[in-house]
Amino acid sequence: MNAWNRRRVAKIVIPIAAWLVGIIFVIPILYMVLTSLHAPQDAQTYPPSWGAPLTLDNYAGLFTSANPITPALINSVITSVISTLLVLALAIPAAYALAIRPVRKWSDVMFFFLSTKMLPMVAGILPLYLFTTKVINMPDNVIILILIYTAMNLPIAVWMMRSFLVEVPPAIIEAASIDGASTFRILTRIVAPIAMPGVAATSLICFIFAWNEQLYAKVLTSVAAQTGPVYVNTLIQTEHAYLAELAAGATLISLPVLIAGFAAQDKLVQGLSLGAVK
């Protein structure tokens, strides 16, 4: 087979393979959504009853039960959004200093940020639990989760934002400085709009990490600060697994991330590919 035929075959085989891989990844999600639309008795059948009647009772039950999901969703929104805003407020100036106005040994600073992610999450549970319950006496509080998620996402945000801000033309910043613009004005009026795709990509990734986090939320909260993933975990019990309700809760928890991803899809792709090709 000559080179022309190989390229022709590759143009046919690669898209088909990509579609097959995509379908394999989508099938579990479709099964989860379909299970959430079945009655509990139909969801428990094996093999699955694909032709069973569809209903929205499982979703309604999450909001009307004795333990509704609404407070957990509100806590997830509060912790994810506020922690993401705090991360951006801290990461953008730090990345600006490391990219546009680099300090001495900036690579050591970047390695320090990266080294903070090397600690396993489970290793910090006991110190954080003792600190929140014994030292500051703030158990089951969303403020603690906000601070933890901010510290958890800050290193990766600084790394990402630096790679985006390096692409900002230095001539624009120099021209603004000559015109008398302050550092804050340069950062907010010039750098931020140019790096907006990177800001969108960084904020979306930090939001997803905070929204999906379960380990710290499971240990440090109980009722008042319970988040969505922790609530869904309560639907799994030793004596019975509420499969239909569990699938409905998992689908509901996944929707905000999917909506945010689709809404910022163009900026996410542009931001993640920024700087990839010189």
Side-chain angles (χ1 to χ4, degrees):
M1 182 181 296
N2 56 36
W4 185 85
N5 288 331
R6 286 197 297 268
R7 288 195 297 268
R8 186 176 181 181
V9 172
K11 289 182 179 179
I12 299 175
V13 173
I14 293 177
I16 294 176
W19 274 102
L20 291 175
V21 172
I23 291 173
I24 292 173
F25 278 98
V26 169
I27 285 177
I29 300 176
L30 295 178
Y31 177 71
M32 178 184 69
V33 175
L34 185 61
T35 302
S36 69
L37 296 174
H38 285 166
Q41 61 272 17
D42 295 326
Q44 297 287 350
T45 59
Y46 184 82
S49 179
W50 300 102
L54 303 181
T55 178
L56 294 175
D57 292 343
N58 297 318
Y59 292 94
L62 293 175
F63 294 95
T64 59
S65 64
N67 181 26
I69 195 176
T70 306
L73 290 177
I74 294 175
N75 289 334
S76 289
V77 172
I78 292 174
T79 54
S80 300
V81 172
I82 295 181
S83 65
T84 300
L85 293 177
L86 288 176
V87 167
L88 292 178
L90 296 173
I92 293 177
Y96 176 84
L98 293 170
I100 298 178
R101 299 185 182 275
V103 296
R104 290 185 57 189
K105 298 185 178 180
W106 63 267
S107 59
D108 295 339
V109 178
M110 297 297 294
F111 178 78
F112 169 76
F113 279 109
L114 184 63
S115 65
T116 60
K117 300 293 293 182
M118 298 179 184
L119 179 69
M121 294 180 62
V122 69
I125 288 180
L126 182 58
L128 287 174
Y129 178 78
L130 295 176
F131 179 77
T132 56
T133 57
K134 304 296 183 182
V135 179
I136 61 176
N137 193 23
M138 292 180 62
D140 198 16
N141 196 304
V142 294
I143 297 178
I144 299 300
L145 291 182
I146 291 173
L147 296 177
I148 290 175
Y149 294 165
T150 302
M152 179 180 68
N153 291 326
L154 186 58
I156 188 66
V158 172
W159 269 80
M160 290 184 63
M161 286 307 306
R162 184 192 176 276
S163 65
F164 300 140
L165 295 181
V166 166
E167 302 298 321
V168 177
I172 299 179
I173 300 174
E174 293 176 0
S177 300
I178 294 173
D179 291 339
S182 63
T183 302
F184 179 79
R185 189 176 183 86
I186 293 174
L187 187 60
T188 56
R189 296 296 183 88
I190 299 175
V191 176
I194 295 176
M196 189 53 64
V199 175
T202 303
S203 60
L204 182 58
I205 289 177
C206 292
F207 176 82
I208 292 174
F209 286 168
W211 183 273
N212 292 337
E213 201 284 322
Q214 183 180 9
L215 186 59
Y216 290 140
K218 177 69 175 178
V219 175
L220 301 177
T221 66
S222 56
V223 178
Q226 186 183 67
T227 59
V230 178
Y231 177 90
V232 173
N233 191 53
T234 61
L235 300 176
I236 304 175
Q237 302 179 9
T238 55
E239 65 274 6
H240 182 70
Y242 299 93
L243 186 59
E245 293 88 343
L246 180 62
T251 303
L252 194 61
I253 292 297
S254 303
L255 282 179
V257 175
L258 294 175
I259 294 174
F262 279 112
Q265 185 177 9
D266 55 340
K267 291 187 179 297
L268 179 62
V269 174
Q270 184 181 357
L272 292 177
S273 60
L274 188 65
V277 179
K278 294 291 184 182

mmCIF file of all heavy atoms in Angstrom, residues 71-108:
data_model
loop_
_atom_site.group_PDB
_atom_site.id
_atom_site.type_symbol
_atom_site.label_atom_id
_atom_site.label_comp_id
_atom_site.label_asym_id
_atom_site.label_seq_id
_atom_site.Cartn_x
_atom_site.Cartn_y
_atom_site.Cartn_z
ATOM 1 N N PRO A 71 -30.657 22.293 49.756
ATOM 2 C CA PRO A 71 -29.557 22.921 50.525
ATOM 3 C C PRO A 71 -28.176 22.461 50.084
ATOM 4 O O PRO A 71 -27.231 23.259 50.067
ATOM 5 C CB PRO A 71 -29.856 22.483 51.968
ATOM 6 C CG PRO A 71 -31.308 22.173 51.983
ATOM 7 C CD PRO A 71 -31.603 21.596 50.638
ATOM 8 N N ALA A 72 -28.052 21.187 49.699
ATOM 9 C CA ALA A 72 -26.760 20.686 49.238
ATOM 10 C C ALA A 72 -26.341 21.354 47.935
ATOM 11 O O ALA A 72 -25.160 21.689 47.744
ATOM 12 C CB ALA A 72 -26.813 19.169 49.069
ATOM 13 N N LEU A 73 -27.290 21.556 47.037
ATOM 14 C CA LEU A 73 -26.971 22.234 45.781
ATOM 15 C C LEU A 73 -26.565 23.684 46.037
ATOM 16 O O LEU A 73 -25.629 24.195 45.411
ATOM 17 C CB LEU A 73 -28.176 22.180 44.838
ATOM 18 C CG LEU A 73 -28.528 20.822 44.238
ATOM 19 C CD1 LEU A 73 -29.787 20.933 43.390
ATOM 20 C CD2 LEU A 73 -27.384 20.278 43.412
ATOM 21 N N ILE A 74 -27.252 24.343 46.954
ATOM 22 C CA ILE A 74 -26.896 25.729 47.275
ATOM 23 C C ILE A 74 -25.491 25.797 47.864
ATOM 24 O O ILE A 74 -24.694 26.681 47.517
ATOM 25 C CB ILE A 74 -27.935 26.329 48.247
ATOM 26 C CG1 ILE A 74 -29.298 26.435 47.556
ATOM 27 C CG2 ILE A 74 -27.489 27.694 48.753
ATOM 28 C CD1 ILE A 74 -30.414 26.900 48.469
ATOM 29 N N ASN A 75 -25.171 24.867 48.746
ATOM 30 C CA ASN A 75 -23.821 24.837 49.325
ATOM 31 C C ASN A 75 -22.766 24.588 48.255
ATOM 32 O O ASN A 75 -21.681 25.189 48.289
ATOM 33 C CB ASN A 75 -23.739 23.749 50.396
ATOM 34 C CG ASN A 75 -24.521 24.096 51.643
ATOM 35 O OD1 ASN A 75 -24.744 25.259 51.954
ATOM 36 N ND2 ASN A 75 -24.972 23.083 52.365
ATOM 37 N N SER A 76 -23.054 23.713 47.297
ATOM 38 C CA SER A 76 -22.101 23.444 46.219
ATOM 39 C C SER A 76 -21.873 24.689 45.370
ATOM 40 O O SER A 76 -20.735 25.000 44.988
ATOM 41 C CB SER A 76 -22.602 22.294 45.345
ATOM 42 O OG SER A 76 -22.530 21.060 46.021
ATOM 43 N N VAL A 77 -22.958 25.396 45.065
ATOM 44 C CA VAL A 77 -22.826 26.628 44.276
ATOM 45 C C VAL A 77 -22.011 27.671 45.036
ATOM 46 O O VAL A 77 -21.105 28.310 44.467
ATOM 47 C CB VAL A 77 -24.222 27.180 43.923
ATOM 48 C CG1 VAL A 77 -24.105 28.556 43.272
ATOM 49 C CG2 VAL A 77 -24.954 26.222 42.989
ATOM 50 N N ILE A 78 -22.298 27.849 46.314
ATOM 51 C CA ILE A 78 -21.606 28.858 47.104
ATOM 52 C C ILE A 78 -20.113 28.540 47.191
ATOM 53 O O ILE A 78 -19.256 29.401 46.927
ATOM 54 C CB ILE A 78 -22.225 28.951 48.514
ATOM 55 C CG1 ILE A 78 -23.637 29.529 48.428
ATOM 56 C CG2 ILE A 78 -21.353 29.815 49.427
ATOM 57 C CD1 ILE A 78 -24.379 29.532 49.757
ATOM 58 N N THR A 79 -19.786 27.301 47.569
ATOM 59 C CA THR A 79 -18.373 26.944 47.740
ATOM 60 C C THR A 79 -17.621 26.971 46.419
ATOM 61 O O THR A 79 -16.478 27.455 46.368
ATOM 62 C CB THR A 79 -18.260 25.550 48.373
ATOM 63 O OG1 THR A 79 -19.006 24.593 47.589
ATOM 64 C CG2 THR A 79 -18.813 25.551 49.783
ATOM 65 N N SER A 80 -18.228 26.493 45.350
ATOM 66 C CA SER A 80 -17.536 26.419 44.065
ATOM 67 C C SER A 80 -17.328 27.796 43.460
ATOM 68 O O SER A 80 -16.225 28.127 43.005
ATOM 69 C CB SER A 80 -18.322 25.529 43.094
ATOM 70 O OG SER A 80 -18.467 24.222 43.598
ATOM 71 N N VAL A 81 -18.367 28.617 43.458
ATOM 72 C CA VAL A 81 -18.271 29.937 42.830
ATOM 73 C C VAL A 81 -17.345 30.856 43.618
ATOM 74 O O VAL A 81 -16.441 31.500 43.047
ATOM 75 C CB VAL A 81 -19.677 30.562 42.692
ATOM 76 C CG1 VAL A 81 -19.567 32.018 42.214
ATOM 77 C CG2 VAL A 81 -20.525 29.756 41.720
ATOM 78 N N ILE A 82 -17.525 30.931 44.932
ATOM 79 C CA ILE A 82 -16.702 31.845 45.728
ATOM 80 C C ILE A 82 -15.247 31.407 45.730
ATOM 81 O O ILE A 82 -14.330 32.237 45.604
ATOM 82 C CB ILE A 82 -17.249 31.935 47.167
ATOM 83 C CG1 ILE A 82 -18.649 32.561 47.150
ATOM 84 C CG2 ILE A 82 -16.307 32.766 48.043
ATOM 85 C CD1 ILE A 82 -19.264 32.703 48.526
ATOM 86 N N SER A 83 -14.991 30.109 45.863
ATOM 87 C CA SER A 83 -13.597 29.642 45.850
ATOM 88 C C SER A 83 -12.951 29.893 44.493
ATOM 89 O O SER A 83 -11.767 30.250 44.424
ATOM 90 C CB SER A 83 -13.541 28.150 46.190
ATOM 91 O OG SER A 83 -14.176 27.360 45.201
ATOM 92 N N THR A 84 -13.703 29.748 43.411
ATOM 93 C CA THR A 84 -13.154 30.027 42.084
ATOM 94 C C THR A 84 -12.816 31.507 41.932
ATOM 95 O O THR A 84 -11.757 31.858 41.384
ATOM 96 C CB THR A 84 -14.151 29.600 40.996
ATOM 97 O OG1 THR A 84 -14.409 28.192 41.104
ATOM 98 C CG2 THR A 84 -13.598 29.890 39.615
ATOM 99 N N LEU A 85 -13.686 32.388 42.411
ATOM 100 C CA LEU A 85 -13.400 33.827 42.346
ATOM 101 C C LEU A 85 -12.174 34.183 43.182
ATOM 102 O O LEU A 85 -11.340 35.002 42.762
ATOM 103 C CB LEU A 85 -14.618 34.617 42.824
ATOM 104 C CG LEU A 85 -15.867 34.536 41.941
ATOM 105 C CD1 LEU A 85 -17.026 35.302 42.577
ATOM 106 C CD2 LEU A 85 -15.587 35.061 40.543
ATOM 107 N N LEU A 86 -12.047 33.573 44.355
ATOM 108 C CA LEU A 86 -10.871 33.828 45.183
ATOM 109 C C LEU A 86 -9.596 33.320 44.513
ATOM 110 O O LEU A 86 -8.548 33.975 44.562
ATOM 111 C CB LEU A 86 -11.047 33.165 46.548
ATOM 112 C CG LEU A 86 -12.056 33.797 47.501
ATOM 113 C CD1 LEU A 86 -12.192 32.979 48.773
ATOM 114 C CD2 LEU A 86 -11.662 35.225 47.833
ATOM 115 N N VAL A 87 -9.689 32.172 43.876
ATOM 116 C CA VAL A 87 -8.527 31.625 43.176
ATOM 117 C C VAL A 87 -8.088 32.564 42.061
ATOM 118 O O VAL A 87 -6.894 32.851 41.908
ATOM 119 C CB VAL A 87 -8.850 30.220 42.626
ATOM 120 C CG1 VAL A 87 -7.777 29.778 41.636
ATOM 121 C CG2 VAL A 87 -8.931 29.211 43.758
ATOM 122 N N LEU A 88 -9.033 33.061 41.290
ATOM 123 C CA LEU A 88 -8.686 33.981 40.204
ATOM 124 C C LEU A 88 -8.102 35.280 40.750
ATOM 125 O O LEU A 88 -7.136 35.824 40.190
ATOM 126 C CB LEU A 88 -9.920 34.275 39.358
ATOM 127 C CG LEU A 88 -10.476 33.114 38.535
ATOM 128 C CD1 LEU A 88 -11.736 33.549 37.792
ATOM 129 C CD2 LEU A 88 -9.443 32.581 37.558
ATOM 130 N N ALA A 89 -8.668 35.786 41.839
ATOM 131 C CA ALA A 89 -8.166 37.030 42.425
ATOM 132 C C ALA A 89 -6.736 36.886 42.918
ATOM 133 O O ALA A 89 -5.972 37.862 42.909
ATOM 134 C CB ALA A 89 -9.078 37.463 43.564
ATOM 135 N N LEU A 90 -6.354 35.703 43.337
ATOM 136 C CA LEU A 90 -4.992 35.469 43.825
ATOM 137 C C LEU A 90 -4.057 34.990 42.720
ATOM 138 O O LEU A 90 -2.876 35.344 42.699
ATOM 139 C CB LEU A 90 -5.013 34.441 44.958
ATOM 140 C CG LEU A 90 -5.768 34.842 46.233
ATOM 141 C CD1 LEU A 90 -5.847 33.667 47.192
ATOM 142 C CD2 LEU A 90 -5.095 36.032 46.901
ATOM 143 N N ALA A 91 -4.568 34.177 41.794
ATOM 144 C CA ALA A 91 -3.709 33.547 40.796
ATOM 145 C C ALA A 91 -3.299 34.522 39.692
ATOM 146 O O ALA A 91 -2.160 34.470 39.214
ATOM 147 C CB ALA A 91 -4.413 32.334 40.182
ATOM 148 N N ILE A 92 -4.194 35.408 39.282
ATOM 149 C CA ILE A 92 -3.875 36.314 38.176
ATOM 150 C C ILE A 92 -2.735 37.270 38.540
ATOM 151 O O ILE A 92 -1.769 37.413 37.771
ATOM 152 C CB ILE A 92 -5.131 37.075 37.723
ATOM 153 C CG1 ILE A 92 -6.132 36.093 37.089
ATOM 154 C CG2 ILE A 92 -4.775 38.171 36.727
ATOM 155 C CD1 ILE A 92 -7.439 36.739 36.672
ATOM 156 N N PRO A 93 -2.769 37.957 39.698
ATOM 157 C CA PRO A 93 -1.600 38.803 40.047
ATOM 158 C C PRO A 93 -0.318 37.995 40.222
ATOM 159 O O PRO A 93 0.759 38.453 39.820
ATOM 160 C CB PRO A 93 -2.032 39.451 41.369
ATOM 161 C CG PRO A 93 -3.515 39.390 41.378
ATOM 162 C CD PRO A 93 -3.859 38.126 40.671
ATOM 163 N N ALA A 94 -0.426 36.799 40.820
ATOM 164 C CA ALA A 94 0.775 35.973 40.993
ATOM 165 C C ALA A 94 1.337 35.546 39.646
ATOM 166 O O ALA A 94 2.556 35.600 39.418
ATOM 167 C CB ALA A 94 0.446 34.748 41.845
ATOM 168 N N ALA A 95 0.464 35.131 38.737
ATOM 169 C CA ALA A 95 0.927 34.737 37.407
ATOM 170 C C ALA A 95 1.477 35.922 36.635
ATOM 171 O O ALA A 95 2.433 35.791 35.860
ATOM 172 C CB ALA A 95 -0.230 34.082 36.640
ATOM 173 N N TYR A 96 0.891 37.104 36.844
ATOM 174 C CA TYR A 96 1.398 38.316 36.196
ATOM 175 C C TYR A 96 2.827 38.605 36.645
ATOM 176 O O TYR A 96 3.693 38.948 35.839
ATOM 177 C CB TYR A 96 0.471 39.478 36.528
ATOM 178 C CG TYR A 96 0.938 40.813 35.994
ATOM 179 C CD1 TYR A 96 0.661 41.187 34.680
ATOM 180 C CD2 TYR A 96 1.640 41.699 36.798
ATOM 181 C CE1 TYR A 96 1.077 42.409 34.188
ATOM 182 C CE2 TYR A 96 2.065 42.920 36.313
ATOM 183 C CZ TYR A 96 1.780 43.272 35.013
ATOM 184 O OH TYR A 96 2.199 44.478 34.524
ATOM 185 N N ALA A 97 3.063 38.456 37.948
ATOM 186 C CA ALA A 97 4.407 38.700 38.474
ATOM 187 C C ALA A 97 5.407 37.675 37.961
ATOM 188 O O ALA A 97 6.578 38.003 37.736
ATOM 189 C CB ALA A 97 4.370 38.680 40.001
ATOM 190 N N LEU A 98 4.963 36.438 37.759
ATOM 191 C CA LEU A 98 5.868 35.373 37.326
ATOM 192 C C LEU A 98 6.044 35.332 35.812
ATOM 193 O O LEU A 98 7.010 34.746 35.327
ATOM 194 C CB LEU A 98 5.338 34.018 37.807
ATOM 195 C CG LEU A 98 5.350 33.812 39.323
ATOM 196 C CD1 LEU A 98 4.571 32.555 39.684
ATOM 197 C CD2 LEU A 98 6.781 33.717 39.830
ATOM 198 N N ALA A 99 5.138 35.939 35.061
ATOM 199 C CA ALA A 99 5.197 35.866 33.601
ATOM 200 C C ALA A 99 5.656 37.171 32.975
ATOM 201 O O ALA A 99 6.607 37.198 32.184
ATOM 202 C CB ALA A 99 3.827 35.478 33.046
ATOM 203 N N ILE A 100 4.993 38.263 33.312
ATOM 204 C CA ILE A 100 5.266 39.537 32.656
ATOM 205 C C ILE A 100 6.349 40.326 33.395
ATOM 206 O O ILE A 100 7.187 40.975 32.788
ATOM 207 C CB ILE A 100 3.970 40.353 32.553
ATOM 208 C CG1 ILE A 100 2.969 39.575 31.679
ATOM 209 C CG2 ILE A 100 4.234 41.730 31.963
ATOM 210 C CD1 ILE A 100 1.629 40.242 31.540
ATOM 211 N N ARG A 101 6.334 40.271 34.699
ATOM 212 C CA ARG A 101 7.379 40.911 35.504
ATOM 213 C C ARG A 101 8.030 39.848 36.381
ATOM 214 O O ARG A 101 7.815 39.823 37.594
ATOM 215 C CB ARG A 101 6.791 42.042 36.348
ATOM 216 C CG ARG A 101 6.147 43.150 35.514
ATOM 217 C CD ARG A 101 5.690 44.283 36.386
ATOM 218 N NE ARG A 101 5.035 45.318 35.612
ATOM 219 C CZ ARG A 101 5.660 46.299 34.976
ATOM 220 N NH1 ARG A 101 6.962 46.373 35.035
ATOM 221 N NH2 ARG A 101 4.980 47.199 34.296
ATOM 222 N N PRO A 102 8.795 38.945 35.781
ATOM 223 C CA PRO A 102 9.305 37.788 36.522
ATOM 224 C C PRO A 102 10.266 38.181 37.631
ATOM 225 O O PRO A 102 11.071 39.095 37.492
ATOM 226 C CB PRO A 102 10.014 36.964 35.438
ATOM 227 C CG PRO A 102 10.375 37.951 34.379
ATOM 228 C CD PRO A 102 9.279 38.974 34.390
ATOM 229 N N VAL A 103 10.149 37.467 38.731
ATOM 230 C CA VAL A 103 11.063 37.649 39.850
ATOM 231 C C VAL A 103 12.273 36.738 39.654
ATOM 232 O O VAL A 103 12.294 35.869 38.771
ATOM 233 C CB VAL A 103 10.352 37.324 41.177
ATOM 234 C CG1 VAL A 103 9.219 38.287 41.426
ATOM 235 C CG2 VAL A 103 9.860 35.881 41.180
ATOM 236 N N ARG A 104 13.289 36.927 40.490
ATOM 237 C CA ARG A 104 14.459 36.062 40.419
ATOM 238 C C ARG A 104 14.077 34.643 40.822
ATOM 239 O O ARG A 104 13.298 34.432 41.742
ATOM 240 C CB ARG A 104 15.560 36.596 41.329
ATOM 241 C CG ARG A 104 16.209 37.899 40.872
ATOM 242 C CD ARG A 104 17.363 38.265 41.780
ATOM 243 N NE ARG A 104 18.350 37.181 41.819
ATOM 244 C CZ ARG A 104 19.374 37.149 42.666
ATOM 245 N NH1 ARG A 104 19.522 38.126 43.558
ATOM 246 N NH2 ARG A 104 20.218 36.146 42.634
ATOM 247 N N LYS A 105 14.658 33.690 40.117
ATOM 248 C CA LYS A 105 14.405 32.269 40.374
ATOM 249 C C LYS A 105 12.907 31.962 40.347
ATOM 250 O O LYS A 105 12.370 31.258 41.207
ATOM 251 C CB LYS A 105 15.007 31.851 41.715
ATOM 252 C CG LYS A 105 16.528 31.992 41.784
ATOM 253 C CD LYS A 105 17.078 31.465 43.087
ATOM 254 C CE LYS A 105 18.601 31.564 43.114
ATOM 255 N NZ LYS A 105 19.158 31.049 44.400
ATOM 256 N N TRP A 106 12.220 32.477 39.324
ATOM 257 C CA TRP A 106 10.792 32.250 39.224
ATOM 258 C C TRP A 106 10.460 30.773 39.051
ATOM 259 O O TRP A 106 9.386 30.306 39.468
ATOM 260 C CB TRP A 106 10.213 33.055 38.065
ATOM 261 C CG TRP A 106 10.766 32.654 36.716
ATOM 262 C CD1 TRP A 106 11.820 33.210 36.075
ATOM 263 C CD2 TRP A 106 10.290 31.614 35.879
ATOM 264 N NE1 TRP A 106 12.044 32.585 34.883
ATOM 265 C CE2 TRP A 106 11.107 31.591 34.725
ATOM 266 C CE3 TRP A 106 9.251 30.696 35.970
ATOM 267 C CZ2 TRP A 106 10.918 30.679 33.698
ATOM 268 C CZ3 TRP A 106 9.046 29.786 34.939
ATOM 269 C CH2 TRP A 106 9.880 29.789 33.816
ATOM 270 N N SER A 107 11.402 30.011 38.455
ATOM 271 C CA SER A 107 11.151 28.578 38.289
ATOM 272 C C SER A 107 11.062 27.875 39.640
ATOM 273 O O SER A 107 10.292 26.907 39.799
ATOM 274 C CB SER A 107 12.249 27.949 37.425
ATOM 275 O OG SER A 107 13.528 28.147 38.015
ATOM 276 N N ASP A 108 11.845 28.336 40.623
ATOM 277 C CA ASP A 108 11.753 27.760 41.964
ATOM 278 C C ASP A 108 10.398 28.064 42.594
ATOM 279 O O ASP A 108 9.835 27.226 43.309
ATOM 280 C CB ASP A 108 12.871 28.301 42.851
ATOM 281 C CG ASP A 108 14.256 27.869 42.377
ATOM 282 O OD1 ASP A 108 14.326 26.858 41.647
ATOM 283 O OD2 ASP A 108 15.246 28.537 42.729
#
